[in-house]
Amino acid sequence: MLSFECDYNTGCHPKVLARLCETNLTPMPGYGTDEFCESAKRKILAACGCPDGDVQFLVGGTQTNAVVISSLLRRYEGVIAADTGHIAVHEAGAIEYTGHKVLALPEHDGKIDPAELRNYLRTFYADANHDHCVFPGMVYISHPTEYGTLYTKSELTALHEICGEYRIPLFMDGARLGYGLTSPETDVTLADIAALTDVFYIGGTKVGALCGEAVVFPKKAPPHFITMVKQQGALLAKGRLLGVQFDALFTDDLYMEISRHAIRMTEMLKELFLSRGYTFFRQSPTNQQFIVLNDEEAARLAEKVRYSFWERVDDCHIAVRFAAGWSTTEEDIAALAEILSE
Amino acid sequence: MLSFECDYNTGCHPKVLARLCETNLTPMPGYGTDEFCESAKRKILAACGCPDGDVQFLVGGTQTNAVVISSLLRRYEGVIAADTGHIAVHEAGAIEYTGHKVLALPEHDGKIDPAELRNYLRTFYADANHDHCVFPGMVYISHPTEYGTLYTKSELTALHEICGEYRIPLFMDGARLGYGLTSPETDVTLADIAALTDVFYIGGTKVGALCGEAVVFPKKAPPHFITMVKQQGALLAKGRLLGVQFDALFTDDLYMEISRHAIRMTEMLKELFLSRGYTFFRQSPTNQQFIVLNDEEAARLAEKVRYSFWERVDDCHIAVRFAAGWSTTEEDIAALAEILSE
Amino acid sequence: MLSFECDYNTGCHPKVLARLCETNLTPMPGYGTDEFCESAKRKILAACGCPDGDVQFLVGGTQTNAVVISSLLRRYEGVIAADTGHIAVHEAGAIEYTGHKVLALPEHDGKIDPAELRNYLRTFYADANHDHCVFPGMVYISHPTEYGTLYTKSELTALHEICGEYRIPLFMDGARLGYGLTSPETDVTLADIAALTDVFYIGGTKVGALCGEAVVFPKKAPPHFITMVKQQGALLAKGRLLGVQFDALFTDDLYMEISRHAIRMTEMLKELFLSRGYTFFRQSPTNQQFIVLNDEEAARLAEKVRYSFWERVDDCHIAVRFAAGWSTTEEDIAALAEILSE
Amino acid sequence: MLSFECDYNTGCHPKVLARLCETNLTPMPGYGTDEFCESAKRKILAACGCPDGDVQFLVGGTQTNAVVISSLLRRYEGVIAADTGHIAVHEAGAIEYTGHKVLALPEHDGKIDPAELRNYLRTFYADANHDHCVFPGMVYISHPTEYGTLYTKSELTALHEICGEYRIPLFMDGARLGYGLTSPETDVTLADIAALTDVFYIGGTKVGALCGEAVVFPKKAPPHFITMVKQQGALLAKGRLLGVQFDALFTDDLYMEISRHAIRMTEMLKELFLSRGYTFFRQSPTNQQFIVLNDEEAARLAEKVRYSFWERVDDCHIAVRFAAGWSTTEEDIAALAEILSE
C-alpha cells in the first residue's frame, strides 16, 4: 500500500545497497576497526570541517541518545531537553534507565528557547539548596525537532554560548539531520553544527541507511567511549555494516543529494495539501508534514494510504503525519493526489 | 589477507543478501511489526517445535544478553553463569550496568556443572543470612560455550530440572547456535533446546546474517517486553532488517545448511593442524579451534593469516583461535595449508 | 539563636530520649528483628487499624521514597508526582538513580488533581504508541505537601479509586504526617490513610525522633522487601534505634500529642504574623508558614532569628518559611514577637 | 539472654549517650552543616594526621560502601575486592545496584594479596581485548576483614604503591576499625591508614555509636560528593545525630579506649575457649572469634547464650562466631565461663 507513514519504511538507498553487495565477502576485523569504518569516519569529519574529531557508529536513535548522554554526564547530572524532546517522551525512559533525569524546559515549536535556558541555569545556581537537586549537565536538542522545526544559526550560537559559559556540552540529535540541512528555510550547515555543538549525530536510519547513526565529536570522544558503548550493548560485532553504509552515504555527496530529493518531494506534498485546502497542524520546513483531518476523512484515507496518527485535535478531528523521505517518488505523490481527489 | 580470525569477519550469506535486495524498496511499518518479521517468527517457532512461543529480534549478542537478563530478573536477583561466561568477562559489565550481579560458578570446559549448580542453590537457601545476599534468579549458559564446547542433552535436562525446582528460568546464549546444532558430537536438537530452556537465542551475526539475534521464548515473552527492549535502546526502527534476514535463514533450512558447511570446513581445519603436529589448547567440537603456537611461529604466521590471540600459555607459547564460519571455503583451508608448509 | 528554620533542628522528644536511655544496654539482635521493633510495629498497625499489615523502619525521607518507589515499580514503569513533589525536585535525582522516571503532573497548592490524574492515565493508554513511553506505575503524593497543604478525604478517595481502576499503588509521603493529622483543617485520619493508600510512611525525623520513618503497608510488603532495603544500603544494623523511638512515639498517643502541640504553636505563629500585618505567600494549614518579607526586613530579622529562604518573589521581596515543630515553645513565639516589634 | 552474637547488639557508649542528651534541644541547622559535625570532623582529621582532608558522616556500612564506591568509580569501572569481601557477598548486590561490578580476587585469611593484585592489573592491561572488559577502578579492602584479620603495614604499603602506579584509589572499609587499631598484633596506626589509603571509614555502629560511619578522605572528597550522598538517600536531615556521636567518640581518646577495652575482653574470651580445649575455626587477632562446635554442643549452648552461626564445617560440626565489643563486660565472660562448665 502507498505509504507516507514515516521515513524509515523502506530499506536503504540503492547505492548503499550496492556497496554492501560489493564488499560482502571481504574479510574485515570486527567492532568497527575495519577500513570501511575508517574511510567513512574520514569522509564524515571532512564534511564536518573537523578532521581531528572522532566518529562512532551506532545502530539506532534511542540507543545513540542513551549512550551519548550517559557517557558524558557525571552521575549527579541530568540532561536538559524540551518537554516534547524524544528523550523526554518517546524512549520508554531510556535515559532514566541509565540513572539520569531528563530536565524538561517548555517547548516552543519543539525547540528550547535560549533565554529560558539561561534563566533556568542561572536560577539553578542561585538556589542555595541546589546541592539537593539534579545538576544540569548537558543540553539536548533535536534538529529537526520532533515537529520538523529547525534551529536558526543564531539560536544555535546562543545555545552554544550559554553551554560554554556553564561548561556543559551541547548535544544535537540529528536523526533526520539530512532533511534539516537541505530545508529551503535553514541557514545552518553541517560545519556550523560541528562548530557549535560538542557532540551530534548524523542520522542514517531515516536518511538512506538500513540502520546506523554516526556520532560526531568535533573535538574528541570521552575516554574509554568504546567500553561504554559495549557496556550498553551497542557495539556491533560487524561494525563494517555501519562503516560501509556511511562510506557510501558520504561519497559523492550522496547523503545531501538524497536529502534534497526528499525535501523536493516534501514541497510537492505540501503543495498538494495546500492546493486541496487542508489545514496544517504545525508548520514544518522539513520532511514531516502535519495535517488536520476530520475523523471520517481520516478513516476513508486510511483505506488507501498509510500515514501516522499524531494526536487528537478535538471531538471530530485528528492531526496526522505524512512523511516524505529519500525513497519517496513523484509517482507516490501523484498516487496520493489521485486518492485525495476521490 | 586470509582470515580465520573470527566468524563475523564477512557480511552475510548471499541468499540473505539477495532477500534484502529483493525486499529493499517495499514499504513496511516499523519496529518489527512488518510481515517479514511475522513470517520469520512463524518459521523459527515451527523449527523449534513451539508454535505458540514468542520471538523478538535484537541486533547483537551483548545487547541480547543484557536485555533478556534484565527483563527477566527481579531487582534483587542475579544471574548464575560460568566464571568464563561471556556475560561474566567480555561484556564490559553490561549486566551490572542494569543493576544485577553475575554469580559465577567454576567452569568445566566452559560449562557449569549441574551438581555444582544444585549445591549452590541448596547452600544459598540454607544460609540463614541469605536475605543479605543476591538471590539467584536465573541460570545463563552458552551453547556452544566460549571454548566451543557443548552441553549434552542429559546435562541440559539436569539443568532444566534444577531450574524448575527452584523456579528460575534457564537462558541459553546461542550466539553460535548453528555450529552447536550441527556439530558431529552433539545429541541436542533445536526442539530439545526449546523444550529444555525458558528462553534462548539463535545467533545470526555469527551464522550468516549482517547482524541480528532471534530471542525465542518457547512459552511466552514477559509482559511489556517490547517496552523494555526500547528502554535499553535495542528496538530497531527498521525491524524489517532483522525480519528479512531471519526469514531467509529459516527458509529451506538455510541456517542449518550453512552451519553444516562451517562444521565441514572446521573438520578440515582440525585435520590440517593435527596432521602438522600442532598441539590443541582445548578440545572443541564446534567451529572455533584453539591451537598452541610458539612465539616465533605465531609471529611468522601473523604475516600471512589473521587469527585471534587467546591467552599466553607460558614464556614462549601462546594459545590462538582459528575460527571457521559459513563463509569459509575449501580454498581458504588450502591456502592455510600452504602457509603452514612454508 | 532562636530558630524557626525547619522542623528538624533539634534532637528528639524527651520521652523518646528517655526510652533510648533505658534500653541502651539491653542486648538485642540486629537488623530490625528485635522486640522493640516488633512492639513498635504492633502499636503502629493498631493505630492504623490494619493489624495484618507490615511495617518497615527506615532512616530518612529521601531514602524511604527511593526504596519504596523502586521496590514497587516494575522496571518499565515510572512514578506520577506533582511537579513540585519532593521526589521531582529536591532529592538530587534519587528516583532516576534507581532507573525510574518521575512523571510530573501540574501542582495545585502542591497537590495533584484527581481529574487530571485520570485524564493522564486515560490519555496514556489511548496513545497507540504508549509502548514507547514510560508506563505510569504508581502515584506519589505528600501529605502535608511541600507547601504544607493537605488532601481532603474526598480527594484521597478519588485518588484511591483511580489507582484501583488502573491497578497501580498509591503511595503517601508522610514526612510531616503528624502535623497533617492534627491540623484543624483536616478531615483525614490515620485509619483513612491506611484504608485509602497502598503504602505510606509516618515521618519520625520531623516529628519527635532523632531519625526514622515508619513505612506502613496496610496489606502486605512486597516479597523480599528486606533484601531490597539492604540492596539500597538502607538496612540499619542497629534496627533497635528506630524500633525504640517509634515504640515511644506510639505509646500513650505521644506522636499525636506532640503534633497537636506543634500545631498549637503554629496557630500562635500565624496569629503573630497576621497581627503584624505580614503577607502570607501561600496558605498552609500545617506547621510550615510562608511569609513575604522585603529584603531589608529579611536581612534585619536574619540577625536575630533563623528562618528558611523559600523563593524570590520580586525585585525587593522574598518568600521565607517559618516552621514550628514538636520542640517549639511558647517562649520561642514570645521571643519572635519581641524581635518583630523591634 | 547473655549475648556474644555481634558487636552491634547494644545501643551506644554511655558517654556518647550523655552527649546526645546534653545537646538534645539545642537548635542546629540540618544536613551535617552544624557545629557538632564541624567539631567532630576537626577532631577526626587531627587524629588521622590529615587536617586538610574531608570527612562525611554516613549512617551504616553497606550504605557507606555503596556511596563511596559509586561516587569514585567512573561508569566503566568496577571495584576489586577479596571474594569474601563484604561488598562481594553480604550486601545484597548493593554495588551492582549502582551499576558497577565487583571484581573478585581470591581471599587469603580474608585479605587480598598484593602480588596477586599486581598480577591482575598487569594481566588486565596486557589483554588486547580489555576494552571489552570492566576496568579495575578501585581496590576495596576491609580492616579488620570479615574474618577479623588485619593487613600489616607492609601489606598496606604494597597495596598503596600498586594503586598509585595504576592511579586507582585504595578504599578501606573500617566498620570495625577501632578493634583493628587496638589489636595486640597490629603495626598499623590511624595515621598510617590516612597516609596509605585514598579513602577509608571509621566505623561507629560497631564501635560505640547508635549508628554512624565517618568517611575520611585524607586529601579531598570528590566534587559534589554531598549531592551523590543525597542521590543515594544517605544524607541525614539531622546530621547532628552523627556529629554529636563522633564528637564524643573523638574526645579524650574515647574511640580508642573503648576499642582497647573490647580487645581486652576478647583476650579473655579467647583464653576461655583455649583453656576449655575448643578448636578455633580461623585465627583472628581482633574482636570476632570463630570456634568449632559439634551440633549437640551448639544446640545446648544456644539455650543459654547467643552467638552467630558462621558456616557448616562437616556433617556434625559447625563454625560459630563469638564477638566481644565495647559493651562486653568481665561479668559477661564470667557468665559464659559458667555456661561452658555446665
Side-chain angles (χ1 to χ4, degrees), chain C residues 8-12 24 26-28 31 59 62-63 70 90 92 94 97-98 205 209-210 230-231 233 236 238 240, chain D residues 8-12 24 26-28 31 59 62-63 70 90 92 94 97-98 205 209-210 230-231 233 236 238 240:
Chain C
Y8 45 87
N9 58 1
T10 51
C12 61
N24 189 49
T26 314
M28 282 287 142
Y31 302 111
V59 174
T62 295
Q63 179 181 86
S70 64
H90 283 113
Y97 193 65
T98 68
T205 301
L210 284 171
K230 178 82 181 173
Q231 191 183 26
L236 218 48
K238 286 186 190 166
R240 65 187 292 145
Chain D
Y8 45 87
N9 59 1
T10 50
C12 61
N24 190 49
T26 315
M28 281 286 143
Y31 302 112
V59 174
T62 295
Q63 178 181 87
S70 65
H90 284 113
Y97 192 64
T98 68
T205 301
L210 285 171
K230 177 81 181 175
Q231 191 184 26
L236 218 48
K238 286 185 189 166
R240 64 188 291 147

Side-chain angles (χ1 to χ4, degrees), chain A residues 221-233:
Chain A
H224 301 297
F225 187 58
I226 208 74
T227 303
M228 297 188 277
V229 168
K230 178 83 181 173
Q231 192 184 26
Q232 287 182 258

Side-chain angles (χ1 to χ4, degrees), chain C residues 27 42 45 61 72 80 91 109 136 144 148 158 168 170-171 180-181 200 216 226-227 236 245 260 283 293 295 341:
Chain C
R42 271 195 312 275
L45 291 173
L72 288 180
I80 294 172
E91 300 190 348
D109 285 331
I168 56 179
L170 177 60
F171 168 39
L181 293 170
F200 66 99
V216 181
I226 208 75
T227 303
L236 218 48
Q245 292 187 90
R260 271 188 294 264
Q283 293 305 316
L293 299 177
D295 289 348
S341 303

Side-chain angles (χ1 to χ4, degrees), chain A residues 53-73:
Chain A
D54 280 334
V55 175
Q56 172 70 40
F57 299 112
L58 294 171
V59 174
T62 295
Q63 178 181 86
T64 301
N65 288 333
V67 168
V68 169
I69 291 170
S70 64
S71 295
L72 288 180
L73 289 182

Side-chain angles (χ1 to χ4, degrees), chain A residues 8-12 24 26-28 31 59 62-63 70 90 92 94 97-98 205 209-210 230-231 233 236 238 240, chain B residues 8-12 24 26-28 31 59 62-63 70 90 92 94 97-98 205 209-210 230-231 233 236 238 240:
Chain A
Y8 46 86
N9 60 0
T10 51
C12 61
N24 189 48
T26 315
M28 282 287 142
Y31 302 111
V59 174
T62 295
Q63 178 181 86
S70 64
H90 284 113
Y97 193 65
T98 68
T205 301
L210 284 171
K230 178 83 181 173
Q231 192 184 26
L236 219 48
K238 286 185 189 167
R240 64 187 290 145
Chain B
Y8 45 87
N9 59 1
T10 51
C12 62
N24 189 49
T26 314
M28 281 287 143
Y31 301 111
V59 174
T62 295
Q63 178 181 88
S70 64
H90 284 113
Y97 192 65
T98 69
T205 301
L210 285 170
K230 177 82 181 173
Q231 192 183 27
L236 219 48
K238 286 185 189 165
R240 65 189 290 147

Side-chain angles (χ1 to χ4, degrees), chain C residues 162-241:
Chain C
I162 296 165
C163 287
E165 271 172 52
Y166 284 90
R167 298 177 182 232
I168 56 179
L170 177 60
F171 168 39
M172 179 187 283
D173 172 339
R176 296 185 166 93
L177 192 56
Y179 306 136
L181 293 170
T182 54
S183 164
E185 299 183 23
T186 194
D187 64 345
V188 173
T189 67
L190 192 52
D192 291 335
I193 291 169
L196 296 173
T197 70
D198 297 280
V199 52
F200 66 99
Y201 77 87
I202 301 173
T205 301
K206 296 181 171 93
V207 192
L210 284 171
C211 62
E213 324 294 323
V215 181
V216 181
F217 294 95
K219 297 200 193 69
K220 221 178 145 55
H224 301 298
F225 187 58
I226 208 75
T227 303
M228 297 189 276
V229 168
K230 178 82 181 173
Q231 191 183 26
Q232 288 182 259
L235 191 63
L236 218 48
K238 286 186 190 166
R240 65 187 292 145
L241 168 59

Side-chain angles (χ1 to χ4, degrees), chain B residues 10-328:
Chain B
T10 51
C12 62
H13 189 274
K15 289 191 184 169
V16 172
L17 193 54
R19 196 82 184 103
L20 283 172
C21 293
E22 282 162 37
T23 59
N24 189 49
L25 293 178
T26 314
M28 281 287 143
Y31 301 111
T33 61
D34 62 276
E35 65 191 45
F36 303 129
C37 284
E38 281 317 301
S39 165
K41 287 177 187 186
R42 272 196 311 275
K43 289 176 184 174
I44 286 171
L45 291 173
C48 294
C50 54
D52 300 327
D54 280 333
V55 175
Q56 172 70 40
F57 299 112
L58 293 172
V59 174
T62 295
Q63 178 181 88
T64 300
N65 288 334
V67 167
V68 168
I69 291 169
S70 64
S71 295
L72 288 180
L73 289 182
R74 293 186 191 86
R75 54 161 276 198
Y76 50 85
E77 295 176 333
V79 55
I80 295 173
D83 53 11
T84 50
H86 208 255
I87 59 168
V89 276
H90 284 113
E91 300 191 350
I95 303 306
E96 288 82 4
Y97 192 65
T98 69
H100 298 283
K101 190 180 185 74
V102 178
L103 302 160
L105 288 187
E107 63 100 10
H108 304 280
D109 286 331
K111 299 188 283 182
I112 60 176
D113 177 72
E116 287 180 8
L117 172 64
R118 182 185 294 282
N119 188 51
Y120 179 87
L121 291 165
R122 188 158 36 201
T123 306
F124 177 85
Y125 284 102
D127 180 349
N129 297 317
H130 70 262
D131 276 350
H132 288 217
C133 301
V134 176
F135 279 68
M138 187 180 212
V139 173
Y140 164 95
I141 55 175
S142 42
H143 181 87
T145 68
E146 291 67 24
Y147 290 107
T149 52
L150 292 168
Y151 286 87
T152 64
K153 186 165 172 183
S154 129
E155 286 168 337
L156 282 186
T157 303
L159 294 175
H160 168 74
E161 282 171 9
I162 297 165
C163 287
E165 270 173 53
Y166 284 91
R167 299 176 180 233
I168 56 179
L170 177 60
F171 168 39
M172 178 186 283
D173 173 338
R176 296 185 167 92
L177 192 58
Y179 307 136
L181 292 170
T182 55
S183 164
E185 298 185 23
T186 194
D187 64 346
V188 173
T189 67
L190 191 53
D192 291 337
I193 290 168
L196 296 172
T197 69
D198 297 280
V199 52
F200 66 99
Y201 77 87
I202 302 172
T205 301
K206 297 181 170 92
V207 193
L210 285 170
C211 64
E213 324 295 324
V215 181
V216 181
F217 295 94
K219 297 201 194 69
K220 220 176 147 55
H224 301 298
F225 187 57
I226 209 76
T227 302
M228 296 188 279
V229 168
K230 177 82 181 173
Q231 192 183 27
Q232 287 183 259
L235 189 64
L236 219 48
K238 286 185 189 165
R240 65 189 290 147
L241 168 60
L242 305 176
V244 168
Q245 293 186 89
F246 272 96
D247 192 55
L249 286 170
F250 279 81
T251 297
D252 297 338
D253 209 32
L254 181 62
Y255 188 78
M256 294 299 277
E257 185 191 296
I258 67 179
S259 297
R260 273 187 293 266
H261 166 81
I263 290 295
R264 274 197 305 274
M265 293 303 103
T266 312
E267 295 299 306
M268 292 176 65
L269 186 67
K270 229 163 160 173
E271 192 51 46
L272 173 62
F273 281 116
L274 267 176
S275 69
R276 303 295 171 94
Y278 284 88
T279 305
F280 285 74
F281 178 63
R282 293 239 180 180
Q283 293 305 316
S284 156
T286 56
N287 73 313
Q288 303 180 88
Q289 296 299 317
F290 303 92
I291 309 292
V292 178
L293 299 177
N294 66 48
D295 290 347
E296 209 176 320
E297 194 171 14
R300 190 177 56 76
L301 279 181
E303 289 170 23
K304 303 274 176 68
V305 56
R306 285 204 209 112
Y307 54 79
S308 291
F309 169 83
W310 207 248
E311 62 183 80
R312 179 147 288 282
V313 175
D314 62 30
D315 273 2
C316 51
H317 291 85
I318 60 172
V320 303
R321 181 184 69 179
F322 281 76
W326 59 269
S327 65
T328 305

Side-chain angles (χ1 to χ4, degrees), chain C residues 275-291:
Chain C
S275 69
R276 303 295 170 96
Y278 284 88
T279 304
F280 286 75
F281 179 62
R282 293 236 182 183
Q283 293 305 316
S284 156
T286 55
N287 73 313
Q288 303 181 87
Q289 296 300 317
F290 304 92
I291 310 292

